[in-house]
Amino acid sequence: MRGRNTMANTETTLKEALASIEGATGAALVDYTSGMALGTLGGSKSFDLTVAAAGNTDVVRAKLRTMEHLGLKGDIEDILITLSDQYHLIRLLTGRGGNGLFLYLVLDAKRANLAMARHQLKKIEAELEV
């Protein structure tokens, strides 16, 4: 039963992310230990969120490894990748049960307010039950 509730919550969370964040075109909840997307919403034929989610697990792992090698003790809040026409925002989940997971958000750079998107994503993370 817990699995079904988690999936329903994931779908609701992703819908909320796309609806409440101006310029959002895709969202995913990703397990960076396995590279699997636990849920996706949005994207397009030319932009496969599952492939992007798996690829971004490498980004997260590389940053965590680098921080370990440098002896940095802080936590990653988010990682921003800026393209000419998109923002890709990766927010590591820190709440209960969120260890090893991140929210991935794709934004249209022309329509998005990056500061508001980060604020909304933080709020969505706080409400997410995994």
Side-chain angles (χ1 to χ4, degrees):
M1 187 70 147
R2 176 165 156 55
R4 197 170 6 184
N5 287 341
T6 299
M7 291 311 291
N9 186 276
T10 299
E11 186 177 319
T12 301
T13 299
L14 296 177
K15 283 181 182 176
E16 182 181 332
L18 285 182
S20 68
I21 300 176
E22 183 69 29
T25 60
L29 177 63
V30 185
D31 177 344
Y32 65 80
T33 58
S34 69
M36 285 185 51
L38 304 177
T40 62
L41 192 63
S44 65
K45 286 184 180 183
S46 63
F47 190 84
D48 186 333
L49 273 168
T50 305
V51 172
N56 280 306
T57 61
D58 293 334
V59 173
V60 172
R61 289 178 194 154
K63 187 58 189 174
L64 289 170
R65 233 182 355 265
T66 302
M67 289 175 63
E68 184 179 336
H69 291 316
L70 292 171
L72 300 176
K73 301 297 180 198
D75 294 324
I76 298 173
E77 284 188 30
D78 55 44
I79 298 170
L80 172 64
I81 300 168
T82 307
L83 304 179
S84 59
D85 60 348
Q86 294 178 335
Y87 299 131
H88 293 231
L89 192 54
I90 299 167
R91 180 156 186 93
L92 276 67
L93 302 185
T94 57
R96 182 180 42 130
N99 197 19
L101 301 177
F102 66 86
L103 283 167
Y104 172 56
L105 184 66
V106 181
L107 300 159
D108 178 335
K110 291 180 180 84
R111 297 185 0 228
N113 177 325
L114 190 54
M116 285 303 295
R118 289 182 72 220
H119 176 74
Q120 284 296 110
L121 203 55
K122 186 175 183 175
K123 182 179 170 188
I124 289 166
E125 175 200 359
E127 296 169 359
L128 180 64
E129 293 177 24
V130 184

